Amino acid sequence: MSVLTDEMRSVAEQIVAKYPNRRSAALPLLFLVQSVEGHVTDSGMRDVADILGLTPAEVLATGSFYTMLKKKPQGEYLISVCRNISCTHLGAHKVFDAAREKLGIEPGGTTPDGRFSLEAAECLATCDGAPSMQINYEDFYKVTPSEVVEIIDSLAAGKDVKSVAGETVRPAKDIAFETATAGLDLPHETADTRERLVGGESPPSDMAPGHRPVVPGIDAPPAEGGGS
Amino acid sequence: MIDETYMVLKRAREFPKDSWTLKRALDDGAYDNLKKAVTEISQADLIELVKNAGLRGKGGAGFPTGMKWSFVPKDVFPKYVVINHDEGEPGTFKDREIAERDPHQMIEGIAIAAYAVGANKAFIYCRGEFALGSRRMDRAIKEAYEKGFLGKGIFGSKFDLDIVLHRGAGAYICGEESALLDSLEGFRGQPRLKPPFPAIKGLYGQPTVVNNTETVSTLPHIVANGVDWFKGFGTEKSPGTKVFSVSGHVERPGNYEVAYGTTLDQLLDLAGGMKDGKTLKAIIPGGASAPLLTHADYALDFDSLKEAGTMLGSGAVVYMDETTCMVRNALVTTEFFAHESCGKCTPCREGTSWAVKVLRRVESGEGRQEDMDLLLDIANGMDGRSFCPLGDAASWALRSNVKLFREEFEAHVREGRCTFDGEHKELVGARSGIDTGISQQGDEGLGGEDRLS
């Protein structure tokens, strides 16, 4: 069962075209799956494997490594409270407790209505705003427990909530799509222009990483007339 | 009080309302130095210029940028430039601000670096969580293409460049350059054995320069003003300025750009001093990886901090006051490393998660007197025994917390409780996955029903 429609597959091909090597598109394509399914599903990973010419196990190996690629259903709004040094020393636990109490869920959990997920995040590089949090990766600085409750109430009521930079908090699937398609619509054809600067021959577009043995059919097309 | 010395943050601080827009950047002279570089300076001269300026990488290691470029073989193609914008060292938030507030300066710097080494393709590896920064870079890249600052025949020269914006997906280890390259190739972000270094065999096995966001953002200023001007700031071996991310118990946390050689005291003054007039207890001078200092009488340059037994690192300075529980500090830091260990090397993978168990015990008042020696033993078992510096960093941070504040650890054990407020346990223990002992990056939350069958 395919989860990526023909339209999504054409977006996927545009993403793949950004890179000299198809496999490099693994992370954005997994974000694309997340933008459709809400998390990275088995069938979505099979689609990614199909598009990239990998095995599903290889896609799982990559996808399971990264914390933003979610392995179980997520809420529409993911609240990530930073737990690292500066935030902890400035009272992150109070922010965290307020969110936990308000939502009635533990870290890694999602409310039964599917609206909110909560997680303890590692340093979000917002230490100047400690204690800080992100909601669907928009930043909130110097958060107080009562503010967390207010923000959750506003989101639950469908109101517009703005980050410290004035960006509107958008649903998780929208943000996953934005992440998947970062930098699209750019011209990406320089292979033929290189020699104008310095000379030299073109590399194979699907070359294997230099530090690994080439695995026919995975890292590169099978060598012609090769094996026996 | 000293003043800040703006270079990388100049446009951002002078025009806080619109420094990231094309119009403001162009009015302020953006891309003039790219034009100067590609039309007036040869590639070899440009590398010499940056070498002579003594610019050192600002991501953490402080390696001389010009020298890194000169390792790239001249006759192997294609070559790549990869920008490390995967800022994640706890306490560091400079690259985030540089990209959010001045993406055009960054793009100009990337193009100068790519021209110098003869690369026609550059990748920005942008941390996945940086939604705003990614939006602004994305837009700025498109604007630069429209204006002809990127693409073919830049400023009428023979130099072509494409920049590809790539988003990470949540993994601290991808800030390590070889793990970053693996991640960019679509693999788990695990470090490679070096040598070969990326300059020889990097992305897709081709020569690759990996430079930090702040480093490339400095390049237009060097091209504009030359070696002597640049060396007029900072110290002999650490020339120029540095953006320090100041946080913790200070009145005005934020990014401050000062010349290298500024002291930790002066930086604290800039940040308004200690919050609520409390007393300074400890300083992390260069991100969570750096060993602690207990007073602010040190100069912020690579050599001075090395002499002091710690490091400048990424320039993240965390000031902590008298109310800080150092056992908690060690625990939070070590939990971070345990979570972010990629799991490739046994000493780092096992050492960090066992240290967390022992630290939890001490912090919750169930520790034993021999735990402090046990922690030091674990630290020794990790230091210098893994592919990349993550395990080393975990051991340095742990060791310095235990050695400098041993009395505080012992008091926890003696009194059977946290000797500070102790109310933070819920959050500290909240990191899903750590309790299972298989806390490494990526191993969390993959239940049986999600597995491919």
Side-chain angles (χ1 to χ4, degrees):
Chain A
M1 182 187 63
S2 180
V3 300
L4 295 181
T5 58
D6 287 346
E7 194 187 9
M8 277 299 188
R9 279 181 182 252
S10 96
V11 173
E13 283 304 329
Q14 288 180 55
I15 295 170
V16 169
K18 282 167 67 177
Y19 304 96
N21 179 317
R22 292 185 78 82
R23 183 165 184 156
S24 282
L27 294 186
L29 293 199
L30 288 165
F31 276 116
L32 198 63
V33 167
Q34 192 154 301
S35 78
V36 175
E37 299 270 89
H39 70 291
V40 177
T41 55
D42 285 3
S43 29
M45 283 191 278
R46 287 185 196 285
D47 280 5
V48 172
D50 179 43
I51 292 167
L52 297 182
L54 300 172
T55 66
E58 286 173 308
V59 175
L60 172 63
T62 293
S64 62
F65 188 78
Y66 299 90
T67 52
M68 287 174 72
L69 297 168
K70 302 300 183 187
K71 291 87 189 178
K72 53 187 182 186
Q74 293 293 302
E76 193 178 352
Y77 296 101
L78 170 64
I79 300 175
S80 312
V81 180
C82 177
R83 61 159 295 281
N84 219 297
I85 304 170
S86 293
C87 289
T88 281
H89 290 329
L90 287 163
H93 59 284
K94 290 176 190 154
V95 177
F96 193 79
D97 284 349
R100 185 160 58 177
E101 201 173 297
K102 173 74 184 168
L103 298 171
I105 52 175
E106 291 301 307
T110 297
T111 55
D113 62 2
R115 296 298 302 282
F116 295 96
S117 293
L118 180 64
E119 68 179 9
E122 292 302 351
C123 188
L124 296 167
T126 46
C127 322
D128 48 343
S132 65
M133 67 175 184
Q134 288 188 326
I135 300 180
N136 288 350
Y137 306 104
E138 307 297 350
D139 307 309
F140 292 83
Y141 277 24
K142 301 189 179 174
V143 186
T144 65
S146 59
E147 274 170 347
V148 175
V149 173
E150 275 169 37
I151 290 169
I152 292 172
D153 280 337
S154 296
L155 288 171
K159 289 184 193 156
D160 193 52
V161 171
K162 287 201 178 349
S163 74
V164 67
E167 303 285 289
T168 297
V169 174
R170 289 186 279 145
K173 287 182 179 178
D174 290 3
I175 294 300
F177 187 76
E178 183 188 74
T179 310
T181 56
L184 275 199
D185 301 321
L186 305 177
H188 290 289
E189 71 292 356
T190 49
D192 62 326
T193 56
R194 183 181 324 106
E195 60 195 41
R196 289 174 48 203
L197 178 65
V198 273
E201 61 184 38
S202 301
S205 63
D206 251 327
M207 66 192 316
H211 62 293
R212 283 197 182 73
V214 175
V215 182
I218 294 174
D219 285 330
E224 280 178 34
S228 56
Chain B
M1 191 194 299
I2 62 155
D3 286 327
E4 288 186 72
T5 307
Y6 293 131
M7 191 182 299
V8 169
L9 288 181
K10 186 164 178 289
R11 193 173 297 145
R13 292 291 181 262
E14 278 180 15
F15 309 102
K17 290 201 174 104
D18 60 357
S19 57
W20 58 90
T21 62
L22 178 69
K23 183 174 184 312
R24 172 60 69 192
L26 288 180
D27 287 350
D28 192 43
Y31 299 103
D32 288 354
N33 298 305
L34 173 61
K35 183 179 182 183
K36 180 178 173 186
V38 300
T39 58
E40 294 173 24
I41 309 177
S42 75
Q43 291 168 278
D45 287 350
L46 187 53
I47 293 176
E48 277 306 302
L49 175 73
V50 172
K51 238 187 202 175
N52 293 336
L55 174 66
R56 297 177 68 165
K58 293 169 192 278
F63 194 82
T65 305
M67 195 182 293
K68 197 183 227 184
W69 290 356
S70 67
F71 293 155
V72 174
K74 303 275 175 287
D75 51 351
V76 181
F77 303 97
K79 313 176 216 263
Y80 299 106
V81 166
V82 177
I83 302 307
N84 187 343
H85 190 62
D86 195 45
E87 182 173 54
E89 178 71 26
T92 318
F93 46 91
K94 63 183 181 74
D95 294 338
R96 166 201 270 273
E97 181 168 13
I98 291 166
E100 284 177 358
R101 293 193 177 273
D102 205 347
H104 285 290
Q105 171 182 250
M106 180 178 171
I107 292 166
E108 185 176 12
I110 295 168
I112 290 169
Y115 170 71
V117 299
N120 299 116
K121 204 172 193 80
F123 294 84
I124 300 174
Y125 189 102
C126 172
R127 182 171 169 182
E129 290 89 341
F130 287 175
L132 175 64
S134 174
R135 259 168 232 147
R136 289 201 175 151
M137 285 189 283
D138 198 347
R139 184 170 165 191
I141 292 168
K142 287 179 175 127
E143 289 168 341
Y145 270 108
E146 280 164 18
K147 289 281 177 188
F149 306 143
L150 294 174
K152 293 187 184 187
I154 295 169
F155 289 112
S157 70
K158 291 180 178 176
F159 174 54
D160 306 333
L161 178 66
D162 276 335
I163 294 183
V164 177
L165 179 60
H166 178 87
R167 295 285 292 274
Y172 165 74
I173 189 60
C174 293
E176 194 280 332
E177 62 179 9
S178 68
L180 183 152
L181 296 175
D182 258 33
S183 178
L184 185 47
E185 289 179 4
F187 292 85
R188 296 168 79 85
Q190 292 185 317
R192 302 173 179 175
L193 189 60
K194 291 179 260 188
F197 289 93
I200 311 298
K201 270 186 183 295
L203 188 63
Y204 312 122
Q206 298 298 118
T208 303
V209 165
V210 183
N211 279 158
N212 165 267
T213 298
E214 188 186 354
T215 312
V216 291
S217 296
T218 310
L219 296 171
H221 303 279
I222 296 177
V223 170
N225 301 301
V227 168
D228 293 340
W229 174 84
F230 187 75
K231 291 190 124 171
F233 304 100
T235 67
E236 191 193 340
K237 288 184 176 168
S238 307
T241 61
K242 175 84 183 79
V243 180
F244 289 98
S245 302
V246 181
S247 69
H249 297 125
V250 298
E251 284 290 343
R252 291 192 299 274
N255 282 317
Y256 294 90
E257 184 168 18
V258 293
Y260 282 110
T262 301
T263 67
L264 280 160
D265 258 331
Q266 291 169 322
L267 189 63
L268 180 57
D269 276 351
L270 281 174
M274 295 300 288
K275 197 174 161 69
D276 304 327
K278 290 218 168 62
T279 307
L280 176 67
K281 178 175 184 177
I283 306 169
I284 300 173
S289 304
L292 300 167
L293 295 171
T294 50
H295 64 89
D297 197 17
Y298 295 99
L300 286 156
D301 60 77
F302 290 102
D303 300 300
S304 301
L305 288 179
K306 197 175 172 191
E307 255 172 54
T310 181
M311 62 183 188
L312 186 93
S314 56
V317 186
V318 184
Y319 293 89
M320 292 176 272
D321 72 18
E322 58 199 287
T323 66
T324 311
C325 170
M326 299 312 289
V327 179
R328 182 190 316 175
N329 186 61
L331 175 55
V332 170
T333 308
T334 309
E335 280 185 330
F336 164 73
F337 285 119
H339 179 255
E340 300 297 339
S341 172
C342 79
K344 181 166 182 160
C345 311
T346 310
C348 169
R349 183 186 66 234
E350 296 300 313
T352 51
S353 42
W354 281 101
V356 164
K357 284 175 205 274
V358 178
L359 284 164
R360 282 238 176 100
R361 187 161 79 194
V362 176
E363 174 63 355
S364 63
E366 290 158 13
R368 306 162 191 169
Q369 280 302 338
E370 61 267 30
D371 279 349
M372 279 59 80
D373 287 333
L374 178 56
L375 286 168
L376 291 174
D377 188 48
I378 294 172
N380 290 340
M382 288 191 283
D383 195 359
R385 294 177 206 277
S386 299
F387 269 48
C388 86
L390 193 145
D392 302 347
S395 76
W396 301 336
L398 176 60
R399 193 186 286 140
S400 83
N401 273 281
V402 176
K403 280 195 166 168
L404 289 173
F405 297 97
R406 187 165 183 130
E407 169 50 34
E408 213 169 296
F409 281 71
E410 286 171 349
H412 275 69
V413 174
R414 202 167 48 239
E415 299 191 22
R417 65 186 180 91
C418 174
T419 48
F420 292 80
D421 60 21
E423 58 173 305
H424 57 283
K425 259 178 275 172
E426 294 85 350
L427 178 63
V428 171
R431 205 62 175 96
S432 55
I434 285 199
D435 282 330
T436 64
I438 46 159
S439 58
Q440 279 69 40
Q441 185 70 41
D443 283 340
E444 64 189 41
L446 198 65
E449 71 277 13
D450 285 344
R451 222 166 272 151
L452 289 179
S453 50

